[in-house]
Amino acid sequence: MTLIKSISGIRGTIGGTINDNLTPIDAVKFASAYGVWLLKRNANKDKLKVIIGRDARISGKMISSLVSNTLVGLGINVVDLGLSTTPTVEVAVPNEKADGGIIITASHNPKQWNALKVLKEKGEFLNGKDGEEILHIADSDDFAYADVDNLGYYEKKPDYIKKHIAEVLQLPLVNAEAIKKAKFKIVVDAVNSTGGIAIPELLEELGVECVKLYCDPTGHFPHNPEPLAKHLTEISKLVVHEKAHLGIVVDPDVDRLAFVNEDGSMFGEEYTLVACADYVLSKTKGNTVSNLSSSRALRDVTVKHGGTYQASAVGEVNVVELMKKNKAIIGGEGNGGIIYPEIHYGRDALVGVALFLTHLAQTNMSCKELRDSYPSYFMSKNKIELTPNLNVDAILIQMADKYKNEEISTIDGVKIDFEKEWVHLRKSNTEPIIRIYTESNSQKAADDLAIRIIKEIEAIAKQ
């Protein structure tokens, strides 16, 4: 059981003791700190407004109620979207002229986890400086609540997913007519969270026949909610059984997107961004950004279209920052996160679905044929559980020194670029683990590289 505090919010397991888990006290404390930070930031405004939304986790309603009432107690008005998605909340914040937002979701973590992810007035995640300030306020218990005549008000706006879908459909590069003509049949696995509301509604608007798998938003995840191949055996079989054109998989808060080919094989979550970027770049000249743990395939596709590619540190706020600096027209993360600034600067599976299906409809290819048209790289994603006596920073320094003759980046952990492959080692922001990502020109080579690096880390740890 654990509680992880980071610049983007707090994440932890439900139950247990204060400061070690995401207890009601911890939720109220962090919501208070965020509210106080907002009040200081907007000292000249009479009344502030914050948008709240949650995924379908079992603990979501409890945490959302605590957070909402805490903000009301600070004199802040709350607009509650109820069951929603992370990108929907991000869209709603500027649309509602709000001063911030809180998303109650632990993203891809299992059901015992939940989190508070906080946004600024543009519906974007906080930078490091702002996040640190909120954590400092939380640690200092520097809270002052409103008197009875100055409490905030609370209202519900439960239909915001429909508004979000309408904005997606209005994007110039989304061709709903082309998608309707393609007469797609698609299986959707939404892991019994809010993607089970959003994705089928979007597909219905696009004239797609939708076969639902785990689309009931109960919060009882039927399998590990991270959209990796080993967790997606059921949808793979169902796509083939239903003779569907493809499968769509989203994580619990609907900011990650993966596809399943018509033969049941994985399109590869790394290639979600590659395919969407290929389409966008074919229609609009520009640049791209992804993080250091993402596939080289995005760089290859960007160069093919005459653009430039840059890599940021891991974390959505870092990708967004570099996208703005690099004037990127599309970007994101290799975990299936699409960021398309035409709608907002946040990972958005709804946008990804609409762009991908437009692209697929216009190519007249099958899903597998489209995947095979891209440069073929293979990734291996591994992790080492952290123990209290493991000095991660010292290990990373030693690994960088060991490979100092290769191309090294230390802006986020250590990335070692070899001629035909790479490895990225970093401490996770969301789990007590070291992530070890490798990429090479075959799955065996990527796996072998990962095994070699893990053994080297274990040897260093024993010294």
Side-chain angles (χ1 to χ4, degrees), residues 295-314:
S295 175
R296 280 183 183 175
L298 179 62
R299 178 200 65 183
D300 295 353
V301 164
T302 306
V303 170
K304 179 186 82 173
H305 288 291
T308 61
Y309 164 80
Q310 290 186 23
S312 77
V314 172

Side-chain angles (χ1 to χ4, degrees), residues 37-48:
W37 175 79
L38 273 185
L39 289 165
K40 286 180 179 177
R41 181 181 170 87
N42 300 277
N44 297 325
K45 286 187 81 169
D46 184 37
K47 209 73 173 171
L48 303 190

Side-chain angles (χ1 to χ4, degrees), residues 343-379:
I343 184 165
H344 68 115
Y345 274 107
R347 294 182 302 175
D348 191 328
L350 282 75
V351 170
V353 166
L355 291 174
F356 182 87
L357 292 183
T358 301
H359 186 35
L360 189 63
Q362 292 181 348
T363 60
N364 288 319
M365 292 183 187
S366 72
C367 204
K368 182 74 164 60
E369 286 169 341
L370 181 62
R371 170 61 183 85
D372 290 343
S373 72
Y374 295 121
S376 213
Y377 295 107
F378 298 82
M379 290 188 82

Side-chain angles (χ1 to χ4, degrees), residues 184-190 200 203 208-215 235 238-239 241-244 246-248:
F184 289 128
K185 182 180 185 182
I186 297 176
V187 180
V188 177
D189 179 353
L203 294 181
V208 172
E209 182 185 348
C210 178
V211 179
K212 296 179 184 180
L213 174 67
Y214 304 132
C215 287
I235 188 171
L238 192 56
V239 166
H241 176 76
E242 291 284 343
K243 295 184 173 60
L246 68 148
I248 290 174

Side-chain angles (χ1 to χ4, degrees), residues 19 86-87 141 167 204 231 263 279 282 319 362 376 426:
N19 292 324
T86 286
D141 285 345
E167 287 199 26
E204 187 179 333
H231 307 144
D263 64 353
Y279 169 60
S282 73
V319 176
Q362 292 181 348
S376 213
R426 59 180 293 274

